Amino acid sequence: MIKILTTLSFEKRLKKFKKNHPDLKSQYHKTLITLQKNPFHPSLRLNKLQGNIRDYYSISINLRYRNMIDFIIKEDKIILIDIGKHDYLYR
């Protein structure tokens, strides 16, 4: 199984995200479980980013919110970098 890691800045953003969106808590956890089991699952809508963030990928929590991740699959690790609205992550 793939190991999910987080950064300190992600943990801070996640805390704010959960406070502002308590209704998405179960969806967020379901997304993480799916990511850990199969990062290529279609429901995650995995997206390779472009431009100055081209080394990263994003996955969907729902149509409005995405997680930006550093995807290191060959080492069986995924590092969560940021969380937020689609427009925020693609600024």
Side-chain angles (χ1 to χ4, degrees), residues 31-91:
T31 300
L32 283 187
I33 290 168
T34 303
L35 179 65
Q36 195 169 27
K37 288 181 181 177
N38 178 7
F40 301 103
H41 193 279
S43 69
L44 296 174
R45 294 183 290 283
L46 181 69
N47 183 34
K48 176 86 166 122
L49 303 178
Q50 299 177 2
N52 61 351
I53 52 176
R54 67 181 168 271
D55 294 334
Y56 300 103
Y57 293 79
S58 71
I59 57 169
S60 291
I61 296 170
N62 63 22
L63 292 177
R64 189 170 180 192
Y65 295 99
R66 298 184 70 80
N67 269 342
M68 187 180 300
I69 58 174
D70 186 354
F71 202 81
I72 309 172
I73 194 68
K74 67 180 179 182
E75 296 176 19
D76 293 335
K77 292 183 216 168
I78 294 174
I79 302 171
L80 300 174
I81 303 293
D82 207 349
I83 186 169
K85 290 182 183 178
H86 185 275
D87 294 341
Y88 164 77
L89 294 177
Y90 296 126
R91 64 191 186 290

